[in-house]
Amino acid sequence: MGDDISDIELVDLVVRGHPGAFRRFYQRHSQLIYACIRKRANAADVDDVFQAFFERLVAKEFRPLQLWQRGTSLPVYLAKVVRNFVVDFYRAKKSREEAVGGAAEIEALLDPQEETVSLKVHLDELRRLGIRAWAALDKRDRVMICDRFHRDRTNDEIAERLQLTPGALRTALSRAQARLLGGLKTLAPEFFPDSV
């Protein structure tokens, strides 16, 4: 595997488990990932976050790389993935620290129960509206969305099933997602205040 391989080809090889592909991905992108972590993490945590990032990437079978929309910039996408990972890392760390001290259990007892019920009602309503938006899509869009996000099928499996090329599938799936989100925003604008 030479240096001339594109990011698209490299990511596809990593996702398929090609020998040496992950090592090549690490060589090409680890400095960028480390720099992104350094910008967002406490100095004392940078190495731990860096190691945890790659552990999670492998444990999740490269799911973030599978979700990358080919044709967009991989470094920009990785920066967003790293940013989200750092936020998750600190949320999990805070939860662990609170659990050790018992503060989370005490605060849960002091919080009004209406907030929990209200949040559950909102999530149930959003889920119901999401199903309605999904049902309004044409059959092919419903199949793609369901295969990708509910059945967790790979792009290759979906492309084969729908008799599409991988590039055509990526375009079709991206458009299906946009139509689903558009339908959801129409049904529930209150959940999307930034788009109003």
Side-chain angles (χ1 to χ4, degrees), residues 75-148:
V76 170
Y77 174 74
L78 286 174
K80 290 177 186 176
V81 171
V82 168
R83 180 190 66 218
N84 292 338
F85 180 80
V86 172
V87 169
D88 290 346
F89 179 89
Y90 282 111
R91 280 184 188 150
K93 184 176 180 181
K94 182 179 178 188
S95 293
R96 286 190 304 271
E97 289 170 355
E98 287 178 351
V100 170
E105 296 164 352
I106 293 170
E107 288 174 15
L109 295 173
L110 299 175
D111 287 341
Q113 293 300 310
E114 298 86 38
E115 290 182 24
T116 304
V117 171
S118 177
L119 179 61
K120 182 179 179 345
V121 168
H122 278 38
L123 290 175
D124 287 347
E125 177 66 8
L126 187 58
R127 181 178 182 273
R128 187 182 63 76
L129 292 169
I131 291 170
R132 280 184 52 200
W134 174 82
L137 296 173
D138 67 31
K139 182 179 180 180
R140 189 175 99 157
D141 285 356
R142 288 194 312 267
V143 167
M144 283 188 293
I145 296 285
C146 195
D147 279 355
R148 189 72 186 107

Side-chain angles (χ1 to χ4, degrees), residues 120-191:
K120 182 179 179 345
V121 168
H122 278 38
L123 290 175
D124 287 347
E125 177 66 8
L126 187 58
R127 181 178 182 273
R128 187 182 63 76
L129 292 169
I131 291 170
R132 280 184 52 200
W134 174 82
L137 296 173
D138 67 31
K139 182 179 180 180
R140 189 175 99 157
D141 285 356
R142 288 194 312 267
V143 167
M144 283 188 293
I145 296 285
C146 195
D147 279 355
R148 189 72 186 107
F149 299 105
H150 178 65
R151 295 185 182 103
D152 206 24
R153 290 191 170 133
T154 66
N155 282 357
D156 291 338
E157 291 170 332
I158 301 168
E160 183 179 326
R161 181 175 178 200
L162 295 176
Q163 298 177 349
L164 296 172
T165 65
L169 173 71
R170 283 190 295 274
T171 300
L173 186 57
S174 177
R175 290 179 180 162
Q177 288 173 282
R179 285 189 284 272
L180 176 65
L181 185 58
L184 188 54
K185 285 179 180 179
T186 301
L187 289 170
E190 66 275 16
F191 288 103

